[in-house]
C-alpha cells in the first residue's frame, strides 16, 4: 500500500519518517503514554528509531498497519500518532493512538481519529473500526466517544500490556455512523422484548 497524507482543518497526517525519531522518543517519555499504551518502558532511543524506520514503513508496505504522524498544519513537530491495524480479513480494523502531553485537551486526537476513520471506510473498505483500551484509560475513551465510537462493554484479559493481561473497554464505529455506505449489507440483531422473545427493531 502506498503511504498517503491526509489533511484536516488544523492538522496534517502523514507517515512517520526517520526525521521524526527525536520527537517520538521525547513524546514517549511521558509516564501516561508508557502506562496506558503498549510502548516499552523505559522508552529508549532505539525503540523510537525502530518505530519510525521499520515498524511504520513495514506496516504500510504489507498493508496491515497504516500509521500517521499528526502535525499542526501551520508547522511544527509531531503532536500525536494514530494508526489503523487490520484485525480480520472480513474488514475489521483497530484504531490506536497517543498524543504528546503538550497537545492534549485541544481536540487534536478527536480530529485526527475522525479523518483516519473516514479514510479507512472509504479507501480501505473497512466494515468495522474497533477501539480498545485498558479499563481506566479515560482519556482514550473520551476521544473515542467524541469521535463517534459506540461503547460495547468490557473484554476480560483481552489486552496485554507490560507482560500482563488486562481487561479492556471495547467500542466500535461503523460506516453508517459517519453517514457512509458500507461495502457489505448489515443486519442488526433483533431487540428482545424483555420476556425472552425477540421482536424486530423498527
Amino acid at each position: 500500500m502506498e503511504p498517503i497524507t491526509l489533511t484536516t482543518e488544523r492538522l496534517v497526517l502523514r507517515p512517520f519518517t526517520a526525521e521524526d525519531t527525536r520527537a517520538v522518543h521525547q513524546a514517549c517519555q511521558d509516564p501516561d503514554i508508557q502506562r496506558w499504551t503498549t510502548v516499552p518502558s523505559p522508552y529508549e532511543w532505539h525503540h523510537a528509531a525502530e518505530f519510525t524506520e521499520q515498524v511504520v514503513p513495514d506496516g504500510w508496505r504489507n498493508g496491515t498497519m497504516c500509521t500517521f504522524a499528526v502535525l499542526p498544519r501551520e508547522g511544527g513537530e509531531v503532536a500525536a500518532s494514530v494508526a489503523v491495524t487490520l484485525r480480520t480479513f472480513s474488514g475489521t480494523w483497530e484504531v490506536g493512538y497517543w498524543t504528546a502531553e503538550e497537545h492534549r485537551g485541544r481536540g487534536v486526537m478527536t480530529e485526527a481519529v475522525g479523518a483516519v476513520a473516514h479514510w479507512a471506510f472509504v479507501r480501505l473498505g473497512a466494515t468495522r473500526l474497533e477501539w480498545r483500551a485498558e479499563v481506566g484509560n479515560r482519556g482514550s475513551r473520551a476521544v473515542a466517544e467524541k469521535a463517534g465510537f459506540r461503547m460495547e462493554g468490557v473484554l476480560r484479559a483481552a489486552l496485554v500490556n507490560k507482560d500482563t493481561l488486562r481487561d479492556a473497554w471495547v467500542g466500535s464505529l461503523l460506516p453508517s455512523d459517519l453517514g457512509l455506505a458500507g461495502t457489505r449489507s448489515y443486519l442488526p440483531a433483533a431487540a428482545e422484548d424483555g420476556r425472552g422473545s425477540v421482536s424486530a427493531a423498527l
Side-chain angles (χ1 to χ4, degrees), residues 135-169:
V135 172
N137 189 349
R138 300 193 180 280
S140 182
R141 177 167 178 156
V143 167
E145 291 179 327
K146 289 175 184 177
F149 282 75
R150 181 179 298 182
M151 296 299 113
E152 296 179 333
V154 174
L155 301 177
R156 296 186 303 157
L159 187 152
V160 179
N161 191 0
K162 312 303 184 283
D163 295 322
T164 301
L165 288 169
R166 303 167 190 263
D167 293 343
W169 282 323

Side-chain angles (χ1 to χ4, degrees), residues 78-119:
V78 172
S81 171
V82 58
V84 286
T85 303
L86 182 63
R87 292 305 185 205
T88 72
F89 288 101
S90 62
T92 297
W93 292 70
E94 182 177 340
V95 66
Y97 43 82
W98 54 256
T99 307
E101 183 177 13
E102 62 270 24
H103 294 281
R104 293 175 194 155
R106 305 176 188 175
V108 167
M109 187 48 68
T110 301
E111 189 172 329
V113 169
V116 171
H118 188 278
W119 174 77

Side-chain angles (χ1 to χ4, degrees), residues 3-202:
I4 65 151
T5 297
L6 306 175
T7 58
T8 69
E9 181 179 353
R10 298 182 297 162
L11 306 171
V12 173
L13 288 76
R14 58 156 176 79
F16 282 91
T17 69
E19 286 72 31
D20 300 315
T21 300
R22 186 184 65 81
V24 170
H25 178 257
Q26 181 177 339
C28 290
Q29 299 310 303
D30 177 35
D32 284 339
I33 291 179
Q34 293 190 22
R35 166 63 184 86
W36 293 111
T37 75
T38 57
V39 303
S41 181
Y43 194 83
E44 300 178 353
W45 182 268
H46 71 89
H47 295 128
E50 181 181 11
F51 175 73
T52 60
E53 298 175 28
Q54 182 176 339
V55 174
V56 171
D58 285 352
W60 280 100
R61 191 176 300 112
N62 61 36
T64 59
M65 184 172 68
C66 305
T67 307
F68 295 88
V70 181
L71 299 92
R73 283 190 70 166
E74 66 269 19
E77 288 195 328
V78 172
S81 171
V82 58
V84 286
T85 303
L86 182 63
R87 292 305 185 205
T88 72
F89 288 101
S90 62
T92 297
W93 292 70
E94 182 177 340
V95 66
Y97 43 82
W98 54 256
T99 307
E101 183 177 13
E102 62 270 24
H103 294 281
R104 293 175 194 155
R106 305 176 188 175
V108 167
M109 187 48 68
T110 301
E111 189 172 329
V113 169
V116 171
H118 188 278
W119 174 77
F121 290 133
V122 173
R123 298 301 181 192
L124 298 181
T127 57
R128 169 182 165 93
L129 197 57
E130 283 191 356
W131 161 87
R132 298 188 186 201
E134 183 180 338
V135 172
N137 189 349
R138 300 193 180 280
S140 182
R141 177 167 178 156
V143 167
E145 291 179 327
K146 289 175 184 177
F149 282 75
R150 181 179 298 182
M151 296 299 113
E152 296 179 333
V154 174
L155 301 177
R156 296 186 303 157
L159 187 152
V160 179
N161 191 0
K162 312 303 184 283
D163 295 322
T164 301
L165 288 169
R166 303 167 190 263
D167 293 343
W169 282 323
V170 62
S172 71
L173 190 68
L174 304 181
S176 57
D177 297 330
L178 300 182
L180 300 171
T183 57
R184 297 186 180 186
S185 59
Y186 168 46
L187 180 63
E192 292 190 9
D193 64 8
R195 298 188 299 273
S197 60
V198 175
S199 56
L202 300 178

